Amino acid sequence: MTRRLLLGCSAVGNALVEHARDERGERDDLVAITDDTGWVSTLRDRNVATVEADPSDPETYPDSAAVVLIASDDPERNVAAARAARAAYPDAMIVAHLGTTPTDEQRAAVAAVADRVVDPVEAVADRVFEAVGLDGERGPAGGSAAGAEASLTDEGGREKPARLLATLRGLSGPLLIVAHDNPDPDAIASALGLARIAASIGVDADACYGGEIAHQENRALVNLLDIGLRPFDDIDLDEYAGIALVDHSRAGINDSLPEDYPVDVVVDHHPPRGPVAGSFVDIRPAVGATSTLIAEYLSRYGIAPDRELATALLYGIRIDTKDFTRATAIDDFEAAADLLAHADESTLERVESPSVSPETLRVLAAAIENRDVRGSVAASCVGEITDRDALAQAAERLLDLDGVTVTFVYGYIDDVIYGSARARGADLDAGELLRDALDPVGSAGGHAAMAGAQVPLGILSEVSKSESLPDVVEAFVAGRFFEALDDAPVQPTGLPAEFSTD
Ligand SMILES: [Mn+2]
């Protein structure tokens, strides 16, 4: 029998599913109905039995349900689903999420049929105040988390927005804004936003980054929005009178500056792991994204972000908070709501599904074609490659295969074998697995959900003329990989639970 039924899905519905798992360790008695194909695949990936159908259509409902969770983002649809659920299950406990900006009428309509109505804004506000109350002491970078309302004021009662401008004005020349290495959207957008703030008071600023802009979504962001971020290698530090760090807080740690290089401005949301230097420091670990802080400053200064900047900041917040499902503060919701009015949603759509290079498609095709699936683990050798990024993307996409929870895609370029692994909903640590398999012959690292490895091709030097290199690479890597898998302490769980309505 179905005990719990999820009607419609959203970030909130998804969090409920996560919560249900934390509480019970399994979700066998949970059935979800949503017509949002994205959530359908996400839920199925998490082993939630999911029906792709209109959540307000009782035709598809299971025979019984003890608890019904209504959780789409659309208040109108939540009203329809709540009414249909009440009609279908007169005795069920109905918990309804209102959705985004419900009208008073919709609020009343849901309240009339549901046993409990969840207002996410109120719920989040409570949590944030609770977190802030418990978090009075934040380590060396004073001024943070003194309370949500007081967050723009420091201990001395001086307003941070005024101090930031004073610091920028006090510079005797241009400002260099440094994003952390291999910048993510939050770092990119924050650097851009701080440059805009500097420009508003006539301070010249350049934004730069070290490493590379690696994910194709991030490259799409930079290209589509024509973001002028300069590689650190092109920068002459002597040309700048001041340094600002965004989305990280210490020079030389995760950026390309020399260690302990003097810093003027720090804006970040990561708890610092050591002493932070800088004449102006704003670090607020309770907030989900640096972009939120930058958006707040813009709004305080009355600077309306242009389309590019608003779009980038909104994307930064969405990525860092995983669409408001992780480490999200009320400030993040508020900043996102403000930015939405200025952002370009069609560009965001293109950023999120960027056009794919022929090489990426070729690697993906090879990964699917050559896959070696054992249980819920798929490994695939794609032969010679020209773009290492394609491996990670192929590993990600292979996770979409039915019943697959761990993937490993590898190929070689410039005398090195590279591999990328992904795990989702598996009781197996991808990082551990790759370390066991390939560290002894190369190097491997990563964490449970995402890992990578590289092995010098030279290790296979005894390839004879009659053997093909891809075959030899495959035999060698797959051999080690599956051997390590057999020795792994916890085996991956089986196939996703079948949907059943009984
Ligand atoms: Mn960030």
Side-chain angles (χ1 to χ4, degrees):
M1 130 170 189
T2 302
R3 279 196 62 255
R4 290 174 301 172
L5 175 64
L6 178 70
L7 295 179
C9 198
S10 61
V12 173
N14 188 48
L16 288 172
V17 170
E18 280 300 295
H19 184 69
R21 177 176 62 179
D22 292 345
E23 207 169 60
R24 299 175 49 94
E26 40 93 348
R27 285 157 293 174
D28 289 348
D29 60 353
L30 175 66
V31 171
I33 301 179
T34 172
D35 50 8
D36 180 319
T37 48
W39 283 117
V40 169
S41 60
T42 303
L43 291 168
R44 284 184 181 156
D45 283 337
R46 294 175 170 191
N47 290 355
V48 175
T50 305
V51 183
E52 186 165 0
D54 178 353
S56 61
D57 178 8
E59 285 293 321
T60 59
Y61 289 4
D63 293 335
S64 64
V67 178
V68 182
L69 307 166
I70 314 273
S72 93
D73 272 333
D74 179 351
E76 197 54 53
R77 305 200 68 191
N78 286 340
V79 169
R83 286 181 175 150
R86 180 48 81 209
Y89 312 110
D91 299 320
M93 161 93 167
I94 297 182
V95 180
H97 160 56
L98 282 170
T100 314
T101 55
T103 64
D104 288 348
E105 251 165 43
Q106 288 163 336
R107 210 179 276 272
V110 169
V113 290
D115 299 288
R116 273 195 65 191
V117 178
V118 180
D119 184 335
V121 175
E122 267 173 35
V124 169
D126 288 347
R127 289 285 296 279
V128 170
F129 287 123
E130 194 184 320
V132 163
L134 290 172
D135 243 337
E137 286 170 32
R138 271 293 176 186
S144 56
E149 265 116 320
S151 54
L152 280 171
T153 315
D154 46 19
E155 302 89 344
R158 288 186 64 198
E159 283 262 303
K160 285 185 192 167
R163 281 190 45 227
L164 173 57
L165 291 192
T167 306
L168 294 177
R169 275 201 195 95
L171 298 175
S172 58
L175 172 72
L176 181 65
I177 302 166
V178 184
H180 55 71
D181 283 351
N182 311 312
D184 57 6
D186 188 35
I188 293 169
S190 300
L192 199 63
L194 189 54
R196 178 77 183 79
I197 290 169
S200 77
I201 53 165
V203 173
D204 284 337
D206 288 323
C208 73
Y209 68 97
E212 49 185 317
I213 297 180
H215 289 287
Q216 78 175 340
E217 288 86 351
N218 299 351
R219 279 203 295 265
L221 177 80
V222 169
N223 294 337
L224 286 170
L225 296 180
D226 197 17
I227 290 173
L229 225 51
R230 297 173 54 182
F232 187 85
D233 291 344
D234 294 355
I235 296 289
D236 177 2
L237 284 176
D238 294 337
E239 286 173 15
Y240 297 91
I243 298 285
L245 308 182
V246 289
D247 206 34
H248 72 297
S249 57
R250 298 165 70 200
I253 314 272
N254 196 25
D255 71 18
S256 299
L257 288 168
E259 212 165 313
D260 296 325
Y261 197 82
V263 168
D264 299 274
V265 171
V266 176
V267 183
D268 188 18
H269 69 123
H270 300 94
R273 298 239 172 93
V276 172
S279 21
F280 175 86
V281 175
D282 184 4
I283 300 179
R284 281 181 264 165
V287 170
T290 303
S291 295
T292 293
L293 305 182
I294 297 291
E296 222 170 76
Y297 282 110
L298 287 169
S299 131
R300 280 299 192 95
Y301 300 141
I303 304 172
D306 57 34
R307 242 167 140 66
E308 283 70 31
L309 178 55
T311 306
L313 289 169
L314 179 59
Y315 192 55
I317 296 171
R318 286 185 38 193
I319 292 293
D320 263 32
T321 62
K322 272 201 170 168
D323 273 328
F324 309 103
T325 60
R326 170 184 79 182
T328 310
I330 197 151
D331 309 47
D332 300 307
F333 283 110
E334 284 174 353
D338 280 351
L339 292 167
L340 202 53
H342 304 282
D344 179 349
E345 288 179 79
S346 70
T347 297
L348 269 193
E349 270 166 33
R350 285 164 65 205
V351 166
E352 288 175 295
S353 29
S355 51
V356 178
S357 73
E359 167 67 357
T360 301
L361 280 185
R362 190 198 66 75
V363 167
L364 181 59
I368 294 168
E369 182 71 24
N370 302 341
R371 71 191 185 277
D372 180 353
V373 180
R374 306 192 192 175
S376 57
V377 176
S380 195
C381 178
V382 297
E384 188 162 10
I385 54 174
T386 61
D387 173 14
R388 285 164 49 192
D389 242 25
L391 294 173
Q393 293 178 44
E396 193 89 41
R397 292 301 297 272
L398 278 195
L399 275 181
D400 293 340
L401 286 172
D402 228 7
V404 168
T405 59
V406 177
T407 62
F408 178 50
V409 177
Y410 55 99
Y412 55 90
I413 175 174
D414 298 338
D415 293 329
V416 180
I417 302 168
Y418 292 95
S420 184
R422 292 288 185 275
R424 186 152 63 193
D427 295 331
L428 195 73
D429 186 315
E432 286 297 321
L433 182 59
L434 285 200
R435 273 189 288 275
D436 287 352
L438 296 169
D439 238 3
V441 291
S443 64
H447 49 90
M450 203 182 277
Q454 34 186 290
V455 176
L457 256 185
I459 198 142
L460 304 174
S461 53
E462 68 277 32
V463 178
S464 75
K465 290 243 157 35
S466 61
E467 293 170 297
S468 93
L469 187 53
D471 289 348
V472 174
V473 167
E474 176 166 16
F476 176 74
V477 177
R480 296 197 66 96
F481 177 76
F482 284 111
E483 195 178 311
L485 185 68
D486 287 339
D487 297 341
V490 186
Q491 288 300 311
T493 49
L495 299 175
E498 290 296 315
F499 169 65
S500 87
T501 54
D502 56 18

